[in-house]
Amino acid sequence: MHELSIAESILDAVREELTKHPGARPVRIGLRIGELAAVDVDSLTFCFEAVLAETEWEGLQLDIRVCPQRGVCSDCGNEFAVVEYNTQCPACASTNTTVSGGDELDFDYLEVETNGTPAVEVKSAE
């Protein structure tokens, strides 16, 4: 179950980011997870909650945005959503396509508060 190690890595990233915001408390974390990333969202959510149980961060919210698989056609340049693993270009019917998205596993944002007041939302570069 690699979702447990992902959950622990998320918390490591939060700890590192909080060193830049002394006195802040994390409230919400956002992740982007691609359909092709081989991450079970339910398992990750369960592991995340289990790692936080009975800690000072219990109740920290995890928001996950699942990103669809995307392709790009090498012949016409069309970028398109891949549906049911059909990678044929819907614009020109070419099969000369490559994956352009859907395999991400990225930190999206971290929302923190200071003294109960929302203070900072740190966004990652896309």
Side-chain angles (χ1 to χ4, degrees):
M1 179 187 303
H2 69 282
E3 284 81 0
L4 180 58
S5 63
I6 293 170
E8 291 170 342
S9 294
I10 292 166
L11 295 178
D12 289 343
V14 169
R15 284 185 195 95
E16 184 177 329
E17 186 61 35
L18 287 178
T19 63
K20 301 173 190 172
H21 306 280
R25 180 183 183 286
V27 177
R28 183 178 307 274
I29 300 167
L31 299 178
R32 290 187 311 267
I33 300 177
E35 290 177 331
L36 300 175
V39 175
D40 184 292
V41 171
D42 291 335
S43 292
L44 177 58
T45 301
F46 175 81
C47 290
F48 184 79
E49 290 171 0
V51 168
L52 291 177
E54 299 180 19
T55 71
E56 63 185 341
W57 290 354
E58 188 170 24
L60 177 60
Q61 297 296 307
L62 179 64
D63 293 336
I64 298 175
R65 181 176 59 156
V66 177
C67 302
Q69 181 181 357
R70 306 228 13 107
V72 65
C73 179
S74 298
D75 292 338
C76 73
N78 181 45
E79 188 170 346
F80 58 95
V82 174
V83 179
E84 295 182 6
Y85 303 102
N86 179 4
T87 58
Q88 183 176 13
C89 177
C92 74
S94 173
T95 56
N96 188 18
T97 62
T98 57
V99 173
S100 65
D103 58 349
E104 45 282 278
L105 176 53
D106 298 323
F107 175 83
D108 195 15
Y109 65 87
L110 171 63
E111 184 180 315
V112 300
E113 67 181 14
T114 305
N115 298 326
T117 304
V120 178
E121 184 174 287
V122 180
K123 291 242 183 215
S124 71
E126 286 197 37

